Amino acid sequence: MNTTLFYLAFLLLSVALAVIAFGPTWREWRHPTDTAALQVLPQYTTDIEHFSDRFRALVQAHQTQLPSPLPSQPTTDFDFAPVALEGMNWAAMRRPLVCLGSIKPQGAIVCSAPVFIHGDFEAQANSRFVGLLAQGRIWLGTGCEVGQWAHADASLHLQRGCSGLRRLSSATSVELEADCCFERIQAPHISFGGSTLLEPEGEPTLLTDASFERLEGAVRQSDHVTLIRGNCKLPRMHRYHGSLVVTGRLLIGAGTEILGDVKARDGIVMGAGARVQGALCSEKQIQILDHAHVTGPLVSESGILLGAGVQVGTPQALTTVSAETIMAEAGARAHGTVWARRLGIVWTAGAVAPTASFH
């Protein structure tokens, strides 16, 4: 009798534990609760245009609710800017704001709601915005701030001292003047510090063909990859074919060209006018001096310094620049995506930038 009760109690306990363990799974299978799309937070999505595209879709879905002379039920999802903007209380806006034409406020404004502009938008100095989406161009005066994102179907221009937190994007070009701060930028043309500095013209210099395998400590990994143990210094005005991996620090001489990918663990200094026709990657800081060119991608787990006249990518082959911190000197330019995971800043030639040394 005692044995029967023992087995019965054991069976009941096993069933109870199975229900506790698999009951929620059975309930979710019978009545799913996770069919809705997950909400993507601004700090986590890697798609720079995600929020501007979603905002555009919301506005387009409500086009039929635009004000008209005929009596209609007003929308509760958007506010519409009046034709005359004088006296408008921008700070009181809580719902997304739709402007039916190009606008140019006469003074600094602070708006805590996203703004959609059917045309161009020009903001005066020291204005503050959460989100901007313009079907034309966006022009932000000195000291303006974008808290989350801004996208222009035409050009996006930030004057001196602006702060573009989170995302800046354009279908054509993004221009940031000196002392601007940024995080993520995406456009076919990205220029830092205003006008692009052209490379000084001079007599064409012939490059000396060379091989990585002749360098000290070189180990041939494959037909196209060479490994250098320790630090490495490439002489100026040479041309190398193939990819290079360096376990220490790498110095690329001025004017030298590498037709392949380059990776160095302890940092890279790329001399003035040098060219890398491939990816350039390092765990430590990458410093690219004036008028050098990298096809890309350009990736550092630490920081990247872009000198005046530096070009990353091409209009025909967009690429990515990514690092914890990015400092771009006036005149540098990129094509594609620039992502400073912590902070990016545009600095002028008068500022002091960190330098790397080799021992």
Side-chain angles (χ1 to χ4, degrees):
M1 183 64 178
N2 292 337
T3 304
T4 303
L5 291 176
F6 173 79
Y7 282 112
L8 180 60
F10 178 76
L11 178 61
L12 292 176
L13 179 61
S14 299
V15 172
L17 292 176
V19 170
I20 295 175
F22 298 103
T25 303
W26 173 267
R27 185 172 61 251
E28 182 66 25
W29 178 65
R30 297 290 296 173
H31 305 285
T33 60
D34 60 349
T35 56
L38 295 176
Q39 182 180 6
V40 182
L41 300 179
Q43 62 268 33
Y44 291 120
T45 179
T46 57
D47 183 1
I48 295 180
E49 298 182 8
H50 171 82
F51 295 96
S52 61
D53 289 343
R54 188 172 66 175
F55 186 46
R56 186 195 303 271
L58 290 174
V59 174
Q60 292 175 346
H62 289 79
Q63 288 296 306
T64 57
Q65 300 181 12
L66 295 178
S68 66
L70 300 177
S72 61
Q73 185 69 25
T75 178
T76 59
D77 299 310
F78 293 89
D79 287 325
F80 294 91
V83 176
L85 298 177
E86 293 79 4
M88 179 177 171
N89 188 359
W90 292 83
M93 296 297 168
R94 294 295 178 264
R95 295 178 297 189
L97 181 65
V98 177
C99 303
L100 301 181
S102 298
I103 61 173
K104 180 181 178 181
Q106 297 303 310
I109 60 177
V110 176
C111 186
S112 58
V115 182
F116 182 90
I117 305 100
H118 287 272
D120 299 334
F121 179 70
E122 183 173 337
Q124 300 302 317
N126 301 315
S127 295
R128 302 287 185 270
F129 304 96
V130 171
L132 292 172
L133 174 57
Q135 291 185 322
R137 71 180 185 96
I138 295 178
W139 189 92
L140 301 180
T142 304
C144 287
E145 179 179 317
V146 178
Q148 293 186 8
W149 52 266
H151 175 84
D153 289 345
S155 62
L156 171 58
H157 186 97
L158 281 69
Q159 280 202 312
R160 191 182 187 98
C162 287
S163 177
L165 304 179
R166 303 303 181 196
R167 296 160 175 80
L168 302 173
S169 58
S170 168
T172 59
S173 64
V174 175
E175 302 172 0
L176 296 90
E177 295 189 8
D179 300 329
C180 284
C181 297
F182 62 89
E183 289 187 25
R184 310 179 194 181
I185 310 174
Q186 180 173 296
H189 300 270
I190 302 172
S191 62
F192 300 98
S195 60
T196 302
L197 298 179
L198 299 178
E199 185 173 359
E201 293 185 2
E203 296 182 1
T205 304
L206 296 179
L207 300 181
T208 302
D209 287 327
S211 174
F212 290 133
E213 298 180 12
R214 297 181 180 179
L215 298 174
E216 182 179 356
V219 178
R220 183 178 180 182
Q221 299 292 97
S222 69
D223 292 340
H224 304 287
V225 180
T226 302
L227 171 67
I228 303 291
R229 301 189 184 278
N231 297 335
C232 177
K233 181 177 180 180
L234 301 181
R236 64 190 306 274
M237 304 307 296
H238 281 63
R239 179 184 289 112
Y240 294 89
H241 294 264
S243 298
L244 177 65
V245 178
V246 179
T247 62
R249 290 173 288 185
L250 172 64
L251 173 62
I252 303 175
T256 290
E257 182 178 23
I258 300 176
L259 304 176
D261 300 327
V262 176
K263 181 178 181 180
R265 176 177 298 173
D266 291 337
I268 300 174
V269 176
M270 190 171 173
R275 301 176 67 88
V276 173
Q277 302 291 342
L280 189 66
C281 306
S282 178
E283 294 182 12
K284 301 294 180 63
Q285 178 178 283
I286 298 177
Q287 182 176 2
I288 304 180
L289 301 183
D290 296 356
H291 303 293
H293 180 214
V294 180
T295 303
L298 174 59
V299 180
S300 169
E301 296 183 14
S302 175
I304 293 177
L305 305 178
L306 302 177
V310 166
Q311 178 178 342
V312 183
T314 65
Q316 297 75 29
L318 305 183
T319 191
T320 299
V321 181
S322 177
E324 283 291 312
T325 58
I326 298 177
M327 296 182 64
E329 186 176 353
R333 61 193 187 277
H335 304 275
T337 300
V338 177
W339 189 343
R341 296 187 294 274
R342 181 174 298 175
L343 176 65
I345 190 169
V346 184
W347 59 287
T348 56
V352 178
T355 58
S357 61
F358 288 78
H359 303 285

